Amino acid sequence: MKAKVNNVIMAWVLLFFCAFFICPQTNANNIRILKVPKIMSQDTTNNTVKIVFDLAWDNSWRTTKPANWDAAWIFVKAWDGQSWNHVYLDTTGNVAGDPTASDYKVEEKNGGSTTGSMLLEYGFSQVQPKWGVDPTESYIKGCVGVFLYRKNLGSGNVVVKNIALKWNYGKQGFVDDDELVVKVFAVEMVYVPQGAYYLGGTGTAAKQTYSFTNGTAFGTPRYVTNEDAITVVGSPTDQKLSAIDGGMTAGIIPARFPKGYKAFYVMKYELTQEAYADFLNTLEQGQQNGRTQVDLNGVVVGNSIWDGAADALDPYRNYLCVIQSAPTVLIGVDANHNNIYNETQVIDSTLGIIKNIDGQDIAVNFVSMYDLLAYADFAGLRPMTELEYEKACRGDRNVNADEFAWGSSTLVYFNASFHSVAGGYSNMNTTTFKDINTGTEKPMPIGYNAGATHGGTHVYAGWWNGGWYVWTYSAPLRVGCFADSNTSRAAAGASYWGIMNLSDNVSELCVRADNAIGRAFVGVHGDGQLMFNGNANIDSNLWNYSDAAAYYIPRGMIFPYGTCGWGCGYSYDGSCGVSSNYTTGQNLEAGRVSSRAAYPYGTVASVRESTSFMPGIRCVRTSNAEK
């Protein structure tokens, strides 16, 4: 008897275990699964099927200068009637699209198109194939997902038809009679090639004295030429990192700690609110509760998933809310508060191009390091180290003084309030935003290359803080909002490799390398499965789960929402008089590539930060990783 694998598209109002759940990711470059994936070529002797679908995304590229490309990281989940399981793919019998299809399209830089082929790269992790069947079984090497990218040089939009991924459901403990439901995910990522790079900054701007140099303030950057262990000594030297300045702890950064020399992929954008909702909707409710830290049973439809209140996080532009109540809780985005969730407008029905109009493309915020670890494990990815962060920003170029991720010290910063009336969170500042809360949202006038916004500014006076006290709410923008097909790297706020928002928008949560707790991290990748409480299930000896501030550090722009103005008696970020903008809360020095000083001690890993900085989620994966 054949396995009953459903392939019916699901509407949000349906129970998600009743149908084939297609999740078209619709972030800034509109990566999307076209039509309904099909289950084909079932082999009941070997217990295999092929999952066939079309995939498209915009502004794709492959170049030689720099030698990199963008890619879609594709992974699949399966519902067995009780829980979601990560699909471990076969590494034979897969097809990277069909160039003979009439509407297969890979655009070239000159505006033409070709039938040029795409390539697949497999991503492996240590997995338990029969998750939930025998949790004590031995781990094996399993393919948790694939990268899909251009074979030939070019740039422009791609439409890849008839991708086929082979799945041996029998190896994962399923039989032909099982009712199985599959869900396909796709995430845009950027390839950072293997090679040497400079670590640590130079210049005269503040907030770089904790960077990885030879031990003197604005000292000599370290040239990283391999993944070997790095010795941190107690005195300045041109040959080794030094612990004498900037809070570095003497010791060894082990060879197993990812240093950025080896090739890796990094998410092109910070994770969006829609993508985070898709993640939560593929968890059991106990896991959802663990991630939201709220019992979602008691949350009214339309209310925030973070605290159960109505519109509570509007000041922070976080619009994630419950859209279907228990027993099957579903989560969506509703920026316009009309109780119609995840709204879109069709732009091109043939190519599946839609425009989000409910804030789906805004970077997810109000998350913790544990949330990032959970998503990384779920997606078969891993956290980024702060050394990889600098390589992702700077590339293989020389260090420029006081540089941001786009390679210069020039900052054209957008800092307008999202709300036109302080405290009036439904009053949108449409004079400084174009297409607010949509997939084409852009700060106005044009010309910005970095920024975030804030939900309102409140001013208090009191002798306890020595004068006026300015309270602001940090809030993110649409990911990639400064870029279009014609903008330069600097104008788009892009890194050397084409990665967006590394110096602005939400901050990047990175595994720190300056102390023993962070250095214990091992760069293995997630297996796609989570603990019953929603936490990542990776061994704590590999991913350090110490709930301590010393585990990670926020890099990129920092957006404290409590700052001080006249009188300067108190500040959450401790930056009074140190290049902070007191009306909007951001610390403009913190976005520099090598800045580590704004929050050198991080915060407790399980705590969501809105009062000290605005963290988001961005993950990486080592290229051609065997585990």
Side-chain angles (χ1 to χ4, degrees):
M1 183 178 296
K2 293 185 178 181
K4 301 172 182 177
V5 184
N6 292 315
N7 62 346
V8 181
I9 196 165
M10 188 203 83
W12 278 107
V13 296
L14 299 179
L15 298 181
F16 67 107
F17 55 78
C18 291
F20 189 107
F21 187 4
I22 303 307
C23 169
Q25 307 292 316
T26 52
N27 61 17
N29 271 4
N30 211 19
I31 192 168
R32 55 204 180 271
I33 296 169
L34 304 177
K35 302 180 181 178
V36 180
K38 300 177 181 178
I39 303 300
M40 302 178 66
S41 305
Q42 184 170 13
D43 180 346
T44 56
T45 300
N46 296 304
N47 304 122
T48 64
V49 294
K50 285 191 175 180
I51 303 166
V52 182
F53 56 96
D54 303 339
L55 183 70
W57 73 95
D58 304 336
N59 302 322
S60 171
W61 76 84
R62 181 170 183 144
T63 64
T64 56
K65 295 181 180 180
N68 82 313
W69 55 81
D70 73 337
W73 171 246
I74 303 167
F75 58 99
V76 184
K77 302 288 179 175
W79 174 260
D80 63 5
Q82 295 182 332
S83 62
W84 287 97
N85 300 261
H86 197 91
V87 168
Y88 303 125
L89 301 167
D90 277 14
T91 55
T92 60
N94 299 297
V95 179
D98 177 14
T100 65
S102 60
D103 47 357
Y104 182 103
K105 182 173 68 173
V106 181
E107 291 187 354
E108 299 298 331
K109 193 170 185 178
N110 61 8
S113 63
T114 179
T115 55
S117 299
M118 305 292 280
L119 297 176
L120 290 176
E121 177 184 321
Y122 299 103
F124 298 97
S125 297
Q126 296 298 305
V127 305
Q128 291 178 295
K130 299 178 183 178
W131 178 265
V133 177
D134 182 8
T136 63
E137 68 179 337
S138 300
Y139 280 79
I140 64 171
K141 185 175 76 171
C143 179
V144 297
V146 296
F147 288 106
L148 177 75
Y149 54 88
R150 292 169 177 262
K151 180 179 180 180
N152 303 317
L153 300 179
S155 62
N157 303 337
V158 298
V159 179
V160 187
K161 309 293 288 190
N162 300 323
I163 302 165
L165 302 180
K166 185 179 177 183
W167 176 33
N168 190 316
Y169 56 86
K171 287 184 178 180
Q172 290 195 243
F174 302 119
V175 298
D176 292 344
D177 289 337
D178 286 337
E179 291 274 2
L180 300 175
V181 181
V182 295
K183 177 178 178 180
V184 181
F185 288 79
V187 180
E188 287 181 271
M189 302 191 78
V190 174
Y191 176 75
V192 177
Q194 178 171 304
Y197 72 100
Y198 285 99
L199 176 65
T202 63
T204 59
K207 302 297 183 184
Q208 293 181 105
T209 54
Y210 289 129
S211 76
F212 295 101
T213 64
N214 66 340
T216 59
F218 313 115
T220 304
R222 166 87 179 210
Y223 194 50
V224 179
T225 59
N226 52 51
E227 288 282 348
D228 294 347
I230 296 176
T231 300
V232 180
V233 298
S235 59
T237 170
D238 288 336
Q239 303 302 315
K240 295 181 174 66
L241 295 181
S242 172
I244 197 170
D245 185 39
M248 292 283 287
T249 302
I252 302 293
I253 302 176
R256 65 187 183 182
F257 186 93
K259 298 171 190 66
Y261 174 81
K262 190 173 182 179
F264 62 96
Y265 288 88
V266 57
M267 289 168 59
K268 186 188 295 186
Y269 306 101
E270 298 143 340
L271 196 71
T272 64
Q273 295 190 25
E274 180 181 43
Y276 199 73
D278 292 335
F279 158 59
L280 293 175
N281 286 331
T282 320
L283 305 182
E284 301 172 54
Q285 190 174 342
Q287 295 173 322
Q288 290 177 331
N289 292 345
R291 293 278 48 84
T292 63
Q293 300 178 18
V294 171
D295 183 358
L296 295 177
N297 270 320
V299 177
V300 175
V301 170
N303 284 10
S304 171
I305 66 170
W306 303 119
D307 62 3
D311 310 335
L313 295 186
D314 272 25
Y316 309 98
R317 297 196 76 192
N318 187 299
Y319 303 114
L320 288 165
C321 57
V322 171
I323 66 174
Q324 179 176 294
S325 57
T328 303
V329 175
L330 289 179
I331 294 160
V333 191
D334 186 22
N336 57 20
H337 301 297
N338 64 354
N339 298 321
I340 303 174
Y341 308 102
N342 308 308
E343 286 183 274
T344 61
Q345 293 177 347
V346 176
I347 305 300
D348 187 323
S349 58
T350 301
L351 296 179
I353 300 174
I354 61 174
K355 177 181 176 181
N356 291 326
I357 59 174
D358 241 339
Q360 297 100 308
D361 302 293
I362 299 169
V364 69
N365 57 348
F366 214 69
V367 291
S368 71
M369 186 64 178
Y370 278 11
D371 295 325
L372 184 151
L373 294 174
Y375 180 81
D377 191 8
F378 169 87
L381 303 173
R382 64 168 174 83
M384 175 168 56
T385 70
E386 57 175 327
L387 278 66
E388 290 174 314
Y389 169 78
E390 295 204 16
K391 171 73 171 290
C393 291
R394 183 176 289 128
D396 59 3
R397 306 292 90 180
N398 290 327
V399 175
N400 292 320
D402 302 326
E403 67 185 325
F404 294 94
W406 44 90
S408 75
S409 60
T410 301
L411 177 74
V412 186
Y413 194 81
F414 177 79
N415 60 6
S417 173
F418 173 70
H419 300 288
S420 56
V421 178
Y425 304 131
S426 62
N427 299 293
M428 299 176 185
N429 194 351
T430 56
T431 60
T432 54
F433 285 85
K434 176 184 176 182
D435 300 337
I436 201 164
N437 287 335
T438 76
T440 53
E441 175 182 286
K442 194 174 185 68
M444 297 297 290
I446 61 173
Y448 297 105
N449 67 351
T453 181
H454 59 94
T457 302
H458 303 267
V459 181
Y460 300 93
W463 294 111
W464 60 89
N465 68 350
W468 293 103
Y469 174 64
V470 181
W471 182 286
T472 61
Y473 297 93
S474 53
L477 295 166
R478 174 179 69 86
V479 298
C481 66
F482 304 108
D484 59 38
S485 58
N486 298 314
T487 48
S488 65
R489 172 190 171 188
S495 83
Y496 178 72
W497 310 108
I499 306 161
M500 307 305 298
N501 300 121
L502 283 171
S503 274
D504 73 306
N505 218 13
V506 293
S507 59
E508 312 293 338
L509 298 181
C510 299
V511 180
R512 58 192 304 144
D514 61 347
N515 59 44
I517 294 178
R519 292 169 189 165
F521 173 76
V522 179
V524 300
H525 301 95
D527 63 358
Q529 305 287 2
L530 300 180
M531 300 292 287
F532 296 109
N533 62 1
N535 284 345
N537 72 329
I538 303 301
D539 191 315
S540 61
N541 292 319
L542 303 175
W543 289 7
N544 193 328
Y545 270 82
S546 171
D547 194 19
Y551 174 38
Y552 75 96
I553 186 170
R555 302 292 295 266
M557 195 66 77
I558 307 297
F559 304 96
Y561 87 78
T563 61
C564 59
W566 178 82
C568 203
Y570 181 73
S571 170
Y572 275 109
D573 70 349
S575 62
C576 286
V578 189
S579 300
S580 279
N581 185 313
Y582 301 133
T583 63
T584 55
Q586 80 275 6
N587 186 305
L588 298 180
E589 306 295 356
R592 301 186 191 277
V593 173
S594 295
S595 175
R596 303 183 69 253
Y599 289 93
Y601 304 109
T603 191
V604 176
S606 63
V607 172
R608 294 191 183 91
E609 271 295 341
S610 62
T611 58
S612 296
F613 56 94
M614 185 170 61
I617 292 177
R618 193 192 305 261
C619 305
V620 303
R621 183 174 179 92
T622 306
S623 179
N624 290 308
E626 287 297 306
K627 60 181 180 179

